Amino acid sequence: MHILLTGGAGFIGSNFVHFVLRNRPQCTLTNLDSLTYSGNLENLTAAENNPRYRFVKGDICDDALVAKLIEDCDAIVHMAAESHVDRSILDSKPFVISNVIGTQTLLDAARKAKGGAWLKKGRFVYVSTDEVYGSLPLEDKSALFTEETPLQTNSPYSASKAGGDMLARAYHHTFHMDVVTTRCSNNFGPYQFPEKVIPLFVTNLIEGKQVPLYGDGKNVRDWLHVDDHCEAVLTALEKGKAGEVYNVGGNNERSNLELTHSILKIMGFGPEMIRPVADRPGHDRRYAIDASKIKRELGWTPTRSAWPHALEDTIRWYKDNAQWWQRVKSGAYRAYYEQQYSKR
Ligand code: NAD
Ligand code: TYD
């Protein structure tokens, strides 16, 4: 199978490249990525000479390029996106362009590829997010997002991802495109851009800096190791049913305060390293996933996300790969992050 992967130079995409090359000897991959601030070819040095892999620098909004690349592929795994909630609060336009227009460009090129013949045999996997469901209350621990939960987006990021998600659904409904959608919880692991909470906090601590905890720290996220997510996407690609949505989660809920204390403990720091900062506007309180459908119907279940070992391994990766994140963290990005939230 030849896969056209979009966003393969980002965190999950680069892990997906390595995962597929390791686990599917018959698969070849073309990685289309425009290398925004979060795209980094250093994530892919181990793959760059592999004859089963090729990189194409380009934008998913480029009709002609996308049309050309789809001609050769059997399946599209669409991960390219603007992915950070805080950035979407500062400026939502790039989110609408990449996450909505970019998805529409890919879907429409797939519809038209090979004079309409691609539509009859190609598969389109849309990598969505649990954030499209909005927020759950902290009080009711039994409440979970299921695939039937209505989409109720709260951030410009999640709204733009829901736009792509609904377009993918529409192309299945209207044109009978073979679309499968995954909606996954928060990922952690190697090569995550250090604006997301785990790599930001871990690398700050290695640098001897405090960690900025938003609001009261009671917000809850369900943490999944990135390789478990990659395996779930591959499972959806290989075994998913056309037109279906599959939730993907780790059954691993932690409040931000709990997560922060775990990181501090593993790294040998005390609570004085927490810097309470103003809350994120519109901050979703709790995400929690019911992932029973993908287990029941496709046999996927997480095996790499067990806490605290998976967190310890991830922290070790950032300690062992300081050059990677030091380069990423230097320059304009640092100023951006420093300005973002004022001290409370
Ligand atoms: P990321 O920001 O690390 O990577 C995104 C990649 O997409 C980058 O390489 C970037 O260069 C590329 N890209 C962005 N706009 C593009 C465009 N217009 N054309 C071509 N390439 C473009 O993001 P990530 O955390 O790896 O997330 C990947 C996908 O998974 C996203 O669709 C995201 O919504 C989804 N997702 C992420 C998480 C998470 O916890 N990180 C959870 C669930 C779903
Ligand atoms: P993040 O990694 O940005 O993922 P998402 O917003 O997509 O869930 O944030 C995870 C949680 O950590 C979220 O509740 C916001 C919180 N957070 C902080 O408290 N401080 C920070 O500096 C960041 C980036 C996030």
Side-chain angles (χ1 to χ4, degrees), residues 178-237:
D178 180 345
V179 172
V180 178
T181 299
T182 58
R183 295 184 185 144
C184 187
S185 61
N186 286 62
N187 284 211
F188 65 98
Y191 301 119
Q192 188 167 29
F193 195 88
E195 64 186 350
K196 306 280 170 38
V197 72
I198 290 181
L200 176 68
F201 282 17
V202 170
T203 59
N204 270 16
L205 290 169
I206 299 172
E207 290 176 308
K209 292 171 64 182
Q210 288 181 303
V211 298
L213 186 66
Y214 296 168
D216 62 10
K218 290 185 182 162
N219 305 63
V220 170
R221 298 294 184 263
D222 171 12
W223 291 100
L224 183 78
H225 191 273
V226 65
D227 277 349
D228 276 333
H229 186 193
C230 291
E231 187 181 57
V233 170
L234 200 52
T235 303
L237 168 65

Side-chain angles (χ1 to χ4, degrees), residues 13 31 35 38 43 47 54 82 90 102 106 116 118 121 124 134 201 213 228 230 245 252-253 264 276 281 304 337 343:
N31 170 17
L35 301 181
S38 70
N43 305 0
R54 90 173 152 141
E82 289 293 335
L90 294 176
L106 285 163
W118 194 92
K121 61 180 188 59
F124 191 107
F201 282 17
L213 186 66
D228 276 333
C230 291
V245 173
N252 188 26
E253 282 182 57
L264 290 173
R304 304 163 182 89
Y337 147 69
K343 195 166 179 185

Side-chain angles (χ1 to χ4, degrees), residues 5-35:
L5 171 68
T6 70
F11 163 50
I12 300 170
S14 57
N15 280 285
F16 187 77
V17 169
H18 298 305
F19 193 89
V20 170
L21 293 177
R22 262 196 326 267
N23 293 292
R24 293 293 183 277
Q26 314 304 337
C27 273
T28 54
L29 286 151
T30 294
N31 170 17
L32 171 63
D33 197 299
S34 61
L35 301 181

Side-chain angles (χ1 to χ4, degrees), residues 63-91:
D63 297 279
L65 175 64
V66 161
K68 187 163 142 268
L69 294 176
I70 292 177
E71 291 285 319
D72 306 331
C73 77
D74 304 300
I76 299 165
V77 175
H78 175 33
M79 293 192 185
E82 289 293 335
S83 68
H84 191 44
V85 172
D86 293 325
R87 285 179 188 260
S88 80
I89 294 167
L90 294 176
D91 181 11

